[in-house]
Amino acid sequence: TENKRVHRLLDQLKSYLIVYDTFLYHTFIASFCEDENLLSQWRGYSNEGGGYNIGMSISDETKFIHDINNLDSDSYIVLRKVIYNLEDQKSLIGNFLFLLIARAETLDERIAKDIPEEKNNWSSHVALHAINILFDIMLTVKNPAFSEEKEWRMIKVMQKDAHPESVNFRPNQTNLYPYINTYIFEKEDEKVFPLRSITYGPSHDRSLARSAVELFLFNVSASKHQIQLKPHNVQIIDPGYILKNK
């Protein structure tokens, strides 16, 4: 396009993208894998196969909250399937920008005709709305080298000055990680955590791991909590192979 005001819109979009993620908002992400028994995930995230994989079933009826004392609150969390294919990524971003430019050119013509005094002001307003969609796309794409992960992301974007008391922190040896407590349940007669399976890691003793998980499930289900756990809904899974710790 040769339209200077549309070019200004694209420049503002680029500037807002930096401001959006750096100065205005914090982004919190919890990552999940479609595969409950992926060797690379055991090696990378579970102390060489010594952990457990928690399998959940998420649907349109699943609710996410941050305040356990207010089960009717809304967390404004979105769930996104990560896109790894480069052509799909280019198509998604390209189509968005194509539509944005086409609509911007039409809008510019109408404003120049009907309210000419606003012709130099509309681009910033459009950019502010468009940045939300573009940022959402950016949080959904990933390098194809990681495609084996089949990742889904639970995403929470929060204004930097909003509810700082809701943010918690956990340290490791080198960094301090902020996080927000999130409670997940299915909207039934009872509030039920949508746990469907627990797979114990391939470096566990099989009999001990299964017994411990069974005991854990019934122990948790017996406790009084606003969100319940139903052990009979949970399948305990053997990984099917052994991975010895070094």
Side-chain angles (χ1 to χ4, degrees):
T1 179
E2 299 298 326
N3 189 310
K4 292 182 179 180
R5 287 180 290 277
V6 174
H7 276 286
R8 185 188 303 142
L9 164 65
L10 297 176
D11 289 338
Q12 289 170 328
L13 195 62
K14 186 187 301 183
S15 300
Y16 288 163
L17 190 60
I18 297 172
V19 172
Y20 194 99
D21 189 38
T22 307
F23 301 106
L24 297 181
Y25 294 91
H26 290 298
T27 304
F28 297 84
I29 296 177
S31 295
F32 301 88
C33 176
E34 285 187 9
D35 194 333
E36 78 278 357
N37 192 20
L38 194 59
L39 181 58
S40 61
Q41 297 292 292
W42 287 122
R43 284 175 166 164
Y45 297 102
S46 69
N47 190 25
E48 290 294 324
Y52 298 84
N53 178 287
I54 298 176
M56 294 188 295
S57 176
I58 304 297
S59 71
D60 292 338
E61 298 301 312
T62 306
K63 189 168 177 61
F64 306 93
I65 62 169
H66 301 307
D67 184 358
I68 191 60
N69 297 313
N70 184 5
L71 298 182
D72 293 321
S73 60
D74 201 327
S75 65
Y76 301 102
I77 282 175
V78 296
L79 194 63
R80 294 287 184 265
K81 183 176 182 178
V82 172
I83 300 171
Y84 298 98
N85 184 277
L86 282 177
E87 293 305 315
D88 291 341
Q89 294 175 7
K90 292 176 181 177
S91 176
L92 182 63
I93 297 171
N95 288 338
F96 167 72
L97 292 175
F98 176 82
L99 289 173
L100 177 64
I101 292 171
R103 297 293 175 84
E105 289 177 333
T106 301
L107 178 64
D108 184 60
E109 292 176 2
R110 291 180 179 177
I111 290 178
K113 179 181 178 181
D114 299 333
I115 43 176
E117 66 275 11
E118 293 294 325
K119 67 179 181 180
N120 292 318
N121 300 325
W122 64 264
S123 61
S124 60
H125 298 292
V126 174
L128 281 173
H129 287 284
I131 192 61
N132 292 291
I133 300 174
L134 185 58
F135 194 63
D136 192 344
I137 294 173
M138 289 181 60
L139 293 173
T140 309
V141 298
K142 194 170 184 178
N143 192 300
F146 297 93
S147 61
E148 182 190 43
E149 295 174 346
K150 300 178 184 176
E151 182 182 351
W152 284 74
R153 290 177 175 174
M154 187 189 299
I155 303 171
K156 164 85 171 185
V157 179
M158 187 173 74
Q159 288 184 346
K160 289 206 169 184
D161 58 352
H163 305 294
E165 73 281 358
S166 66
V167 181
N168 301 286
F169 298 89
R170 61 176 178 84
N172 67 4
Q173 294 180 345
T174 57
N175 291 303
L176 188 65
Y177 290 95
Y179 68 94
I180 302 175
N181 282 330
T182 301
Y183 303 90
I184 307 172
F185 61 89
E186 294 174 332
K187 294 183 285 187
E188 301 177 354
D189 294 334
E190 296 178 289
K191 306 296 188 294
V192 180
F193 181 61
L195 181 63
R196 295 294 178 262
S197 67
I198 296 179
T199 305
Y200 49 86
S203 65
H204 279 292
D205 179 286
R206 296 184 177 187
S207 60
L208 289 178
R210 176 173 289 276
S211 297
V213 171
E214 288 175 348
L215 184 60
F216 170 77
L217 288 173
F218 283 98
N219 178 269
V220 172
S221 66
S223 64
K224 293 183 178 179
H225 196 276
Q226 293 97 317
I227 301 175
Q228 295 298 310
L229 179 67
K230 294 184 177 179
H232 58 272
N233 289 342
V234 182
Q235 182 182 9
I236 301 174
I237 301 175
D238 184 322
Y241 56 92
I242 298 174
L243 181 66
K244 295 193 175 186
N245 284 320
K246 295 178 181 179

